[in-house]
């Protein structure tokens, strides 16, 4: 009755118009679909996205990954009980057999893994977030949205070195209130940017945030705080940054604002920012292999601010374990496609939670309209999600799903304490 009857995949296209994988699992009680996102500022140790190469779609086709689902993984999971997520995922991992999923592709594996979870939830007659909450033995919690309202780095055609400037609406009673207030800030920011910098300043980047032609690291923060103040939320909102420092780390130095900075100067930069601005979270403050720098920032600032590891740990348990042991961060960014199966992502999150790290569930800059991560964030009760700005359908799909979940679940809103380092 709960068995997987058929598995099929196809090539669809993500929010950047690049090919990606969509998988459909058929059971006796319905069809369950999941698709895979894709990053631009990727960590070098992420599980491998299998791409075709060649001329078509600039080499980004996924017909080989699709074929691997249709011809190999479908055979592996067919006939299995869709409620056995762990078993399904371990079969997928075993079939690939490589440490980084380079044989069949993490994109192929993940599409099957996520579709299976949806089938499993339906089999149990549960909402996906409740099902994930059971899988992870955590209570559902509504996350604070990290709204990336000014885009830079690899996500925009401007000169900002830092990749993401987020407003974090922490001081509210519900996700609905927090998100709505974030939307108001977004629109106020739009008005201000247009007035001060002209119409081109309100063009948006890959994650729906504005991409004004600003240069200095702190200018976007000033603009966001001005908008926050004028809509009256100065006490309720704080700032989050994704520096994505690997993307401007060259020859052992950080190239920002045309200056070449070492670790000590970068640390000073962060200390100054914390002194003048209400910053609650800094993601990837240093490059993925600049371990000593991560250790230094945790020593210096780790009690005051969330130091969020993305490229450093790429959602993989072994790397998370190492970062915990060496005290290189105090929070984990969780992206399912960096690791390739739901079970492995849940294990990384569990390790982080058990080690008193915070966890933030994250989209990728290339997204589909899938909403899996909204349920994931609620289900693992981590209290934080980033899904870009409140702009562009693939970003809103997740936030709108969270509005729906809040209504039906009655889960509490994480609020301010979500970002506090433990
Ligand atoms: C990041 C992400 C998502 P990308 O760096 O955290 O915001 O970007 O998907 O391009 O890696
Ligand atoms: Mg990042």
């Amino acid at each position: 009755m709960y068995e997987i009857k058929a598995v099929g995949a196809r090539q669809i296209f993500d929010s950047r118009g690049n090919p990606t994988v969509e998988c459909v699992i058929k059971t006796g009680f319905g069809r369950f679909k999941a698709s895979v996102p894709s990053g631009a500022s990727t960590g070098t140790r992420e599980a491998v996205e299998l791409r075709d190469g060649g001329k078509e779609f600039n080499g980004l086709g996924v017909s080989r990954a699709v074929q691997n689902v249709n011809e190999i993984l479908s055979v592996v999971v067919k006939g299995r009980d869709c409620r056995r997520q762990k078993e399904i995922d371990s079969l997928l991992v075993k079939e690939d057999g490589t440490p980084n999923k380079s044989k069949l592709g993490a994109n192929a594996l993940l599409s099957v893994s996520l579709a299976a979870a949806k089938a499993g939830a339906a089999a149990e007659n549960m909402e996906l977030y409740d099902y994930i909450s059971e899988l992870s033995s955590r209570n559902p919690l509504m996350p604070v949205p990290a709204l990336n309202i000014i885009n830079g780095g690899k996500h925009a055609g401007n000169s900002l070195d830092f990749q993401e400037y987020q407003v974090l609406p922490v001081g509210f009673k519900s996700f609905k209130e927090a998100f709505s207030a974030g939307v108001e800030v977004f629109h106020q920011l739009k008005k201000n940017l247009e007035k001060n910098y002209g119409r081109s300043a309100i063009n948006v980047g890959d994650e729906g945030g504005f991409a004004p032609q600003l240069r200095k690291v702190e200018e976007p923060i000033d603009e966001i705080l001005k908008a926050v103040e004028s809509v009256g939320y100065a006490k309720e909102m704080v700032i989050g940054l994704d520096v994505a420092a690997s993307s401007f780390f060259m020859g052992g130095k950080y190239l920002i604002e045309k200056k070449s900075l070492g670790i000590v100067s970068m640390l000073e930069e962060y200390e100054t920012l914390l002194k003048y601005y209400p910053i609650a979270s800094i993601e990837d403050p240093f490059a993925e292999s600049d371990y000593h720098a991560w250790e230094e920032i945790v020593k210096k600032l780790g009690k005051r601010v969330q130091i969020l590891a993305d490229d450093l740990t790429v959602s993989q348990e072994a790397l998370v374990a190492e970062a915990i042991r060496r005290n290189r961060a105090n929070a984990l960014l969780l992206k399912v496609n960096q690791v390739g199966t739901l079970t492995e992502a849940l294990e990384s999150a569990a390790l982080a939670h058990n080690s008193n790290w915070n966890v933030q569930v994250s989209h990728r800059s290339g997204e589909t309209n899938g909403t899996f991560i909204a349920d994931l964030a609620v289900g693992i009760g981590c209290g934080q999600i980033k899904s870009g700005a409140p702009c562009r359908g693939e970003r809103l799909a997740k936030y709108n799903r969270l509005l729906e979940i809040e209504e039906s679940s009655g889960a509490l809103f994480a609020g301010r304490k979500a970002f506090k380092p433990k």
Side-chain angles (χ1 to χ4, degrees):
M1 150 125 203
Y2 298 117
E3 104 215 36
I4 293 175
K5 292 210 156 131
V7 181
R10 65 170 66 90
Q11 176 167 290
I12 61 166
F13 293 85
D14 71 14
S15 56
R16 280 193 277 250
N18 292 327
T20 189
V21 185
E22 178 178 79
C23 172
V24 183
I25 284 186
K26 286 189 196 133
T27 67
F29 47 92
R31 296 169 80 250
F32 304 92
K33 218 160 60 171
S35 52
V36 176
S38 173
S41 66
T42 48
T44 55
R45 288 165 293 198
E46 292 192 18
V48 171
E49 238 175 26
L50 193 66
R51 301 281 187 185
D52 296 341
K55 280 216 171 101
E56 205 182 28
F57 306 121
N58 301 311
L60 297 179
V62 292
S63 64
R64 285 196 295 145
V66 165
Q67 199 178 356
N68 290 342
V69 175
N70 289 336
E71 292 174 11
I72 302 171
L73 298 176
S74 65
V75 180
V76 170
V77 301
K78 213 165 135 187
R80 299 281 163 180
D81 185 332
C82 65
R83 300 168 304 169
R84 302 255 163 89
Q85 187 69 35
K86 259 195 172 171
E87 190 182 306
I88 291 170
D89 286 343
S90 75
L91 287 168
L92 297 174
V93 170
K94 208 166 128 213
E95 186 64 32
D96 176 81
T98 65
N100 57 0
K101 304 186 174 79
S102 55
K103 183 169 163 221
L104 301 176
N107 41 356
L109 270 68
L110 185 67
S111 72
V112 180
S113 177
L114 299 186
K118 286 185 168 177
E124 299 283 20
N125 210 4
M126 283 169 111
E127 288 279 354
L128 183 57
Y129 61 84
D130 271 333
Y131 185 69
I132 292 173
S133 148
E134 284 211 346
L135 286 178
S136 60
S137 309
R138 306 242 332 152
N139 290 328
L141 184 65
M142 294 308 300
V144 174
L147 303 164
N148 175 16
I149 55 180
I150 295 190
N151 293 185
K154 287 196 174 162
H155 295 167
N158 58 16
S159 308
L160 287 169
D161 300 301
F162 286 15
Q163 179 178 281
E164 300 175 21
Y165 290 86
Q166 308 155 348
V167 68
L168 314 175
V170 290
F172 296 86
K173 296 227 150 48
S174 65
F175 176 81
K176 185 180 172 184
E177 283 173 51
F179 185 65
S180 305
V183 170
E184 284 182 60
V185 171
F186 179 76
H187 289 296
Q188 183 63 45
L189 178 64
K190 183 174 184 176
K191 281 184 206 153
N192 296 354
L193 290 176
E194 183 169 9
K195 190 161 139 244
N196 297 338
Y197 305 99
R199 279 190 67 70
S200 67
I202 58 170
N203 288 335
V204 298
D206 285 359
E207 299 190 347
F210 302 114
Q213 210 23 285
L214 303 175
R215 271 163 220 288
K216 291 194 148 177
V217 159
E218 65 275 14
E219 280 174 324
I221 309 180
D222 288 326
E223 289 299 335
I224 292 174
L225 290 177
K226 258 188 262 163
V228 165
E229 259 163 49
S230 54
V231 290
Y233 294 126
K235 291 209 174 77
E236 286 82 14
M237 297 200 179
V238 289
I239 298 290
L241 302 172
D242 181 1
V243 176
S246 303
S247 63
F248 52 83
F249 185 58
M250 267 144 238
K253 296 274 182 203
Y254 294 90
L255 302 180
I256 56 172
E257 293 176 18
K258 305 223 164 93
K259 290 173 296 195
S260 173
L261 303 185
I263 298 175
V264 174
S265 316
M266 282 296 279
L267 279 170
E268 278 167 15
E269 179 90 31
Y270 292 126
E271 275 194 287
T272 311
L273 287 174
L274 285 189
K275 189 163 159 206
Y276 293 106
Y277 298 110
I279 293 171
S281 179
I282 308 179
E283 181 183 330
D284 283 357
F286 290 101
E288 60 179 20
S289 53
D290 201 4
Y291 303 130
H292 173 65
W294 283 87
E295 287 155 23
E296 287 301 302
I297 195 169
V298 172
K299 259 187 239 152
K300 266 211 146 102
L301 307 174
K303 292 242 154 27
R304 286 159 63 191
V305 69
Q306 170 170 287
I307 305 293
L308 185 55
D310 174 11
D311 289 355
L312 179 75
T313 41
V314 290
S315 307
Q316 297 185 16
E317 198 182 8
L319 297 174
V320 178
E322 188 187 335
I324 289 169
R325 217 170 31 242
R326 303 286 175 108
N327 217 8
R328 290 179 182 151
N330 59 23
L332 169 69
L333 194 78
L334 190 68
K335 294 166 164 169
V336 279
N337 83 319
Q338 284 181 330
V339 60
T341 64
L342 176 60
T343 302
E344 289 166 287
L346 293 180
E347 283 165 359
S348 299
L351 174 61
H353 274 137
N354 293 337
S355 310
N356 280 326
W357 275 31
N358 294 336
V359 176
Q360 182 175 101
V361 166
S362 170
H363 66 159
R364 299 309 306 250
S365 51
E367 267 294 335
T368 70
N369 287 346
T371 59
F372 197 100
I373 61 164
D375 288 75
L376 177 64
V378 176
I380 65 169
C382 63
Q384 308 182 27
I385 188 169
K386 72 165 179 173
S387 177
C391 172
R392 297 180 52 140
E394 75 282 0
R395 311 296 147 190
L396 267 310
K398 284 77 168 166
Y399 294 132
N400 288 337
R401 170 67 182 150
L402 287 165
L403 291 171
E404 185 187 7
I405 294 176
E406 186 164 67
E407 262 182 41
S408 67
S409 69
L412 294 175
F413 180 59
R416 238 174 254 285
K417 62 177 182 299
F419 287 88
K420 290 243 161 74
K422 294 189 185 76

